[in-house]
Amino acid sequence: MIGEMDPRRIRNFCIIAHIDHGKSTLADRMLEITGTVTPREMQEQLLDSLDIERERGITIKAQAVRMPFIYSDGNDYELNLIDTPGHVDFTYEVSRSLAACEGAILIVDATQGIQAQTLANVYLAMEHDLEIIPIVNKIDLPSADVPRVIAEMTAAFGFEADEVLAVSAKDGSGVIDLLNAVVDRVPAPKDNHDLPLRALIFDSKYDTYKGVLAYVRVIDGSVTSNDRIRMMATDTQAEVLEVGAFKPTMMKVPGLDAGEVGYIATGLKSVGECRVGDTITLARNGATDSLPGYGEQKPMVFAGLYPTEGVDFHELREALERLQMNDASLVYQPENSAALGPGFRCGFLGLLHMEIVQERLEREYDMDLVVTAPSVVYRVVMADASVIEVSRPTDLPNPSLLDQIEEPWLDVSVLTPSRFVGPMMELINARRGVFKRTEYLDSSGARAAGTESMPSSDPRVVIEAQLPMAEVLVDFYDQIKTRSKGYASLDYTFTGFYPAALVRLDILVAGQLVDALSLITHKDRAYYQGKALVAALRKLIPRQMFEVPIQAAVGSNIIARETVHAMRKNVLAKCYGGDISRKRKLLEKQAEGKKRMKRIGRVEVPQEAFLAILKMER
Amino acid sequence: MTLGLYVHVPFCETKCPYCDFNTYAAIESLMPGYVDAVANEITQWGAWLKHPALTSLFFGGGTPSYLPTRDIAKLMRAIYAAYDLPSDTEVTLEANPGDCSRERLQAIRRTGVNRLSIGVQSFDDNELRLLGRRHSVDQAIAAVRSARVAGFDNLSIDLMFGLPYQFAASWAHSLEEAVALEVEHISAYALTLEGGTPMEADVAGGHLPEIDPDIAAEMYNMTCETLAAAGYEQYEISNWSKPGLQSIHNLTYWRNESWLGVGPGAHGTIAHGPGAFSALPEQGVRFVDIKPPRAYIERAMAWRSGGALTADTLAGAGAIDTIELTTQAIAMGETMMMGLRLNVGVSDASFRQRFGVGIADAFPNAVNDCLKDGLLEWVGERLRLTDDLRPLGNEAFGRFIAEAMG
């Protein structure tokens, strides 16, 4: 035994919740109550270490923390909380975090009830055979309806009503009972320390001093400093520089034993060599089989990132390299746009991931970027039966050369109060969706328990449908929220590629094709999209000294046109002695603004125009 | 060598809703102190620069005609004592038509003022009300007649177009009436909504209609055509005159030359270039007097000039609140920004003489691009805006300023 604790006294668990149901707050309270951090050290959302995570109230990277806890019988226990990302873009990371645990706390908001992600998370936890401890959170709020939400949970998942704990993560009530329940109900890890080392990487992170840190759950065997280890999927070897645990800051420990959670400092240079889901074993006398569940993540969303004037292409490359050291799911390759010059085609797990990367480049690297409209990956079956993947509309081969185009589809579930079923159906329909089924979630008993004042006392419905991913990519989530006044929620998973009648829609500005604005769309929708896109562009492109026609074309057919009329007057009427400095400074400011624009021929186009597709009216 | 003098009069009987100048209503009690303070500032500047010659004098505001005649006389006396003011020097005073009785104008004429700039603005009473003006169309016409009787043979009127609710027909009417008055000089300005003014807030809040830039452009073209047909020569973006009767004082600004500014918030410039005031080692300097009238009076009154004129002594002199040293690049950019406003444009020879480099060498990109786009043209050795694209002047100015920034 090298570990600090008898495995029978260890509990590994995670918290699963829909966004905003209070996961980070509950984690904060547990840290406080177990004395892992002192109130003085406490800051909100302690486990969310990125600024963006704190600001948006979401978790992007997985984290772990070891908490000492004295159980009601007086014995010491070690509770390892593995915090999981809370967004569908990161479903794979969630599944790896779950695989590192034996139990999960399921949070449902007492004012909102079950949401789409709650369902998805529960099923995911069940797939991993986790012991689920259901809790109702936010019971301190006046609008909380605990009996109703408990009824909903028992109806939906078959929990016993007395299994569900009532908690307020905010004021701490019920949290000690919950910690006792973790010890009580979550099984202890199996004591496999005699087997060859197998440690599951549930996250990894680059550290300037120690190289890549693998966040691991040791499943079998044990690991200590100076061991030589091997990452089984990438077949990379490394020397263990240090092993440690999160308390909650990183603390060196002599070793990690089967059942324990901690980190291994590898000295490696890139997280790409130490991928989430991979298995670490010993280089010599290692395990023969890796742990199940490893999958290389494929980016689903692509967009072009281009430097504006003032941002150097090489600086952008360097920034992307630095981000990738910590984000194995970010991929990029240089590309050249006729309109925007040299830049990078970047692949992301989803839209949120894309936004986060863009925001980090802008904030942490102070870069001003043009981001083109996101695109999904298409599979193109060529006439000779070969298959190519296309993530950039301008790469779509000439129609005469191809047999068919396939686009990615998603299984989507929308959970909505029944009164919004109509608008949800309309939206799904408008986005080429195919219905699978609808199901009422609440039992009649649950409804009876509801109160009049609660807006969601109306029974809730799960709508399951399939949609092309491209249709979900652009503002689908916003529409779900808008059309349901914020009540409906969304979850989705990738299902596969299916053929569709797709065409490339091109945009010409002043007669010049702007490759960065091209998009792939369904044949039947090209006309409407073309019209909407040129209309949006007309508003986004400022008047120039000359008339600027904006056209949408499919092949050589112009299907829509708008005109930005020439500016007729732009001159300061009065400019006397007292105005000179002020007017000069105004012109200097305008010159700075123009620098950030991109020139398409003679036309100055602001950055927002390249995201016009996100702004067009549908 | 050019040296103008601008006297800022911050008083108005009422403040107009579009005005963002440093002017105030209801501070008439400060007038006596103000006059003494300005007179002292005039005197101290004259002594410091060793009794220089003035090439023009301008009383602007505010409403200079709102000052009692004896106060105007007091300021003129201070100016005559401290500067060389040849008898044919242009001396302009801005006047509100409401202040322009024949007797009053006769008295003002006798102080040495030989040119009036009358704030007519419009020949439509509804538009005058919208602009918050305190005079009527009849008063404006009477003011011009009285000025003639009072002996003014050099008159300018101000007009405004592109107003909320204004139609082309009413602007045509204003132009017609203006032409009929046979004044020597007309300034016609497109209304500019300045930030922080009540009118801007009204437009932003939807209480007044937004001004359609295309209609304003149409009115501008009408102005050019109508005034040209009536024998006026356009010499600047917003200024027209009978041949030879341009505003000498305002040309100082557009040629980016030197002038002194006195009064609260007045700007002055000692321009870049050899031979100006060689005691100033810098490339040129702009300076602004403190804005609030009370503070101005206190500081201007206490000023005693003397010693060398340097950037440091200037920064602490009299009522000066801020100074800005001008680099060669800025001076060149501003010379283009201002000079291209003139129909004759900028002389390459004068530019070269002043800065030691030709325009096309100092601004190769701006010159090339503007020539290519038809914004500018060479007429002999002068570079100027083309007649067709004069209304887009900012496009050209902006390119010179951008290039000056490097």
Side-chain angles (χ1 to χ4, degrees), chain A residues 71-344:
Chain A
Y71 181 54
S72 49
D73 67 2
N75 283 322
D76 286 339
Y77 279 80
E78 175 185 307
L79 308 185
N80 289 307
L81 164 60
I82 295 170
D83 195 21
T84 58
H87 190 277
V88 283
D89 278 4
F90 306 105
T91 306
Y92 174 74
E93 276 87 346
V94 176
S95 79
R96 294 305 83 206
S97 295
L98 298 190
C101 302
E102 279 81 25
I105 294 174
L106 168 70
I107 307 184
V108 177
D109 187 321
T111 67
Q112 292 187 13
I114 292 172
Q115 301 288 310
Q117 271 176 35
T118 317
L119 293 172
N121 285 328
V122 169
Y123 297 137
L124 204 56
M126 287 173 177
E127 277 174 42
H128 288 89
D129 288 327
L130 300 192
E131 179 64 37
I132 297 173
I133 303 176
I135 71 165
V136 179
N137 187 27
K138 303 195 188 178
I139 57 168
D140 56 304
L141 292 182
S143 54
D145 187 347
V146 180
R148 177 183 162 274
V149 173
I150 290 179
E152 203 176 89
M153 290 166 82
T154 54
F157 306 115
F159 296 124
E160 300 293 330
D162 58 4
E163 268 185 274
V164 184
L165 302 178
V167 168
S168 164
K170 199 168 149 214
D171 66 22
S173 55
V175 176
I176 292 180
D177 290 344
L178 174 60
L179 289 166
N180 281 316
V182 168
V183 175
D184 237 9
R185 301 193 207 167
V186 175
K190 285 200 188 97
D191 184 4
N192 291 340
H193 75 270
D194 298 333
L195 298 176
L197 171 68
R198 287 201 299 177
L200 172 68
I201 304 174
F202 61 86
D203 199 8
S204 60
K205 172 182 160 174
Y206 181 76
D207 179 279
T208 328
Y209 302 105
K210 296 169 188 163
V212 172
L213 303 174
Y215 289 20
V216 296
R217 155 72 197 273
V218 181
I219 305 288
D220 302 327
S222 60
V223 60
T224 57
S225 293
N226 304 324
D227 278 347
R228 185 146 188 92
I229 53 169
R230 184 167 73 92
M231 270 52 73
M232 296 181 77
T234 58
D235 199 22
T236 309
Q237 295 207 3
E239 200 77 40
V240 176
L241 304 181
E242 181 180 315
V243 290
F246 306 96
K247 297 180 171 181
T249 50
M250 294 190 298
M251 301 272 244
K252 210 170 154 171
V253 296
L256 293 172
D257 247 334
E260 287 193 303
V261 173
Y263 66 88
I264 299 174
T266 62
L268 293 171
K269 290 283 165 276
S270 163
V271 291
E273 298 168 304
C274 199
R275 292 179 169 269
V276 172
D278 200 352
T279 306
I280 292 180
T281 188
L282 293 174
R284 238 187 282 169
N285 303 325
T288 46
D289 297 324
S290 52
L291 295 162
Y294 175 75
E296 199 156 329
Q297 279 182 281
K298 285 193 130 184
M300 299 301 283
V301 175
F302 284 81
L305 254 56
Y306 291 87
T308 44
E309 232 161 290
V311 179
D312 191 42
F313 174 78
H314 300 285
E315 282 173 46
L316 177 56
R317 178 199 292 276
E318 213 166 279
L320 284 168
E321 274 170 13
R322 303 264 303 271
L323 280 186
Q324 202 184 38
M325 283 169 84
N326 243 327
D327 184 350
S329 45
L330 169 66
V331 301
Y332 61 90
Q333 63 181 56
E335 73 169 352
N336 213 54
S337 153
L340 301 174
F344 292 94

Side-chain angles (χ1 to χ4, degrees), chain B residues 193-205:
Chain B
L193 292 174
E194 300 288 353
T197 58
M199 190 174 281
E200 188 237 15
D202 281 347
V203 172

Side-chain angles (χ1 to χ4, degrees), chain A residues 111-113 143 145 148-149 152 416-419 440 442-460 487:
Chain A
T111 67
Q112 292 187 13
S143 54
D145 187 347
R148 177 183 162 274
V149 173
E152 203 176 89
T416 176
S418 65
R419 67 187 185 281
Y440 279 75
D442 307 53
S443 66
S444 52
R447 252 174 293 154
T451 58
E452 285 299 311
S453 63
M454 208 163 143
S456 54
S457 60
D458 154 26
R460 277 167 332 136
Y487 284 111

Side-chain angles (χ1 to χ4, degrees), chain B residues 157-235:
Chain B
I157 58 173
D158 281 358
L159 296 174
M160 290 174 76
F161 65 91
L163 312 177
Y165 304 116
Q166 187 183 40
F167 295 102
S170 85
W171 177 236
H173 168 75
S174 277
L175 285 171
E176 227 170 85
E177 293 282 319
V179 166
L181 290 174
E182 298 188 306
V183 290
E184 285 68 31
H185 187 281
I186 296 174
S187 302
Y189 303 111
L191 171 68
T192 308
L193 292 174
E194 300 288 353
T197 58
M199 190 174 281
E200 188 237 15
D202 281 347
V203 172
H207 307 298
L208 280 178
E210 282 207 43
I211 294 146
D212 181 335
D214 289 348
I215 292 178
E218 198 51 53
M219 291 180 178
Y220 185 70
N221 292 342
M222 278 170 59
T223 313
C224 296
E225 283 162 22
T226 309
L227 295 183
Y232 289 91
E233 293 173 352
Q234 184 180 17
Y235 71 100

Side-chain angles (χ1 to χ4, degrees), chain A residues 543 570 572-573 575-576 581 584, chain B residues 189 214 238 254 334 341 391:
Chain A
R543 292 171 78 171
N570 174 25
L572 239 39
C575 197
Y576 294 100
S581 296
R584 187 198 80 229
Chain B
Y189 303 111
D214 289 348
S238 306
W254 296 318
E334 289 177 345
R341 297 184 67 85

